[in-house]
Amino acid sequence: MAAIFPVFFLLYRVEVTWGDSTQAHASGLLAEESLLRDLRVYQVQTADHNSLVLTSPAGPNQTYSVTYSVDSGRLMRTASGSPPTVVAHGIKEFTAYPCSLGLVRVAIVTLGTTGTAVSLEPRLSIAPRQGCP
Amino acid sequence: MGLVEVLVASALMAVALVVLLGSLSSLLLGARVAERRTVEMRLARNQIERLMAPQTISCPVPTVTQSVDHVTYSIETTCPPVPSSAGYIELKVTVHPLQDPSSQTLVIDRVQQ
């Protein structure tokens, strides 16, 4: 009987930790879906830590831009002429790397329910359909 | 306390613990499987993006491996035959843990015009 409770406690802790990781990965997948969609369509103007600016020629003398940023644990998407929208909650930070070998790479760190940071692996790789600038 | 009461209490406790431990074990196994499926999907998607990056795609594509969270995954890319007049090629990316090739695999088809 004395051995059962430590086993139960151990299983419970492992389940909580893995559940936390699963929830954090789900938040990351939500963020990635929006990033995937935009990165495939638009061109990368600037890629940096917690900042990603995408542009698309919208016509003569006009440029349509989409900006991603992190604000209070939320991934925000701001399009030209529109108010910011929340793409995903529980995002601690993201880093977009400039186009290399035809691929844009994005590293995302999410927050679990217990506040622990979970780095999403493998990192997101996207081939912009309009090519790299 | 009589012997009968002790036996009944122990039996009830044992049944409750078996149910609790069984539920936790199922949760742990389910979380592990879900985690692997997610990683497989992400690896397959990254492989497809990697193949889409160059202007031309040549078959066959060599099999590569990648380790994520101490698990090594095999990423195989095959090119199933399609009619020559179809005007596209089809790529099939299959990802599975290297240590467990018999497990369920994730297959994503990619068509290039």
Side-chain angles (χ1 to χ4, degrees), chain B residues 46-57:
Chain B
N46 283 355
Q47 175 72 350
I48 287 171
E49 293 292 328
R50 198 174 295 120
L51 292 169
M52 292 290 292
Q55 295 299 316
T56 56
I57 299 173

Side-chain angles (χ1 to χ4, degrees), chain A residues 1 4-5 7-8 11-12 14-15 18 21-22 25 28-29 32-33 36 40 101-103 105 120-129, chain B residues 10 13-14 17 20-21 24-25 27-29 31-32 34-35 38-39 41-43 45-46 48-50 52-55 66 68-69 110:
Chain A
M1 187 66 75
I4 289 176
F5 286 104
V7 170
F8 174 78
L11 282 172
Y12 175 74
V14 171
E15 193 274 330
W18 285 13
S21 172
T22 303
H25 277 86
L29 285 174
E32 285 183 350
E33 279 302 312
L36 263 174
R40 279 175 176 158
L101 298 173
L103 287 173
R105 292 177 175 82
L120 294 187
E121 293 291 341
R123 288 178 178 178
L124 177 67
S125 296
I126 307 156
R129 299 301 187 260
Chain B
S10 300
M13 176 75 82
L17 286 174
L20 277 173
L21 292 177
L24 276 176
S25 303
L27 282 171
L28 287 176
L29 290 173
R32 186 178 171 84
E35 180 72 25
T38 306
V39 171
M41 184 271 288
R42 297 163 69 92
L43 287 172
R45 189 182 59 194
N46 283 355
I48 287 171
E49 293 292 328
R50 198 174 295 120
M52 292 290 292
Q55 295 299 316
Q66 187 170 345
V68 179
D69 291 335
R110 178 67 211 180

Side-chain angles (χ1 to χ4, degrees), chain B residues 34-103:
Chain B
E35 180 72 25
R36 286 194 174 182
R37 292 291 168 271
T38 306
V39 171
E40 288 165 3
M41 184 271 288
R42 297 163 69 92
L43 287 172
R45 189 182 59 194
N46 283 355
Q47 175 72 350
I48 287 171
E49 293 292 328
R50 198 174 295 120
L51 292 169
M52 292 290 292
Q55 295 299 316
T56 56
I57 299 173
S58 59
C59 287
V61 179
T63 299
V64 295
T65 59
Q66 187 170 345
S67 292
V68 179
D69 291 335
H70 310 295
V71 178
T72 304
Y73 294 87
S74 169
I75 305 166
E76 300 167 8
T77 307
T78 56
C79 308
V82 293
S84 57
S85 59
Y88 64 84
I89 64 168
E90 188 174 311
L91 299 171
K92 183 176 286 187
V93 178
T94 306
V95 182
H96 61 77
L98 207 58
Q99 301 89 339
D100 189 13
S102 63
S103 71

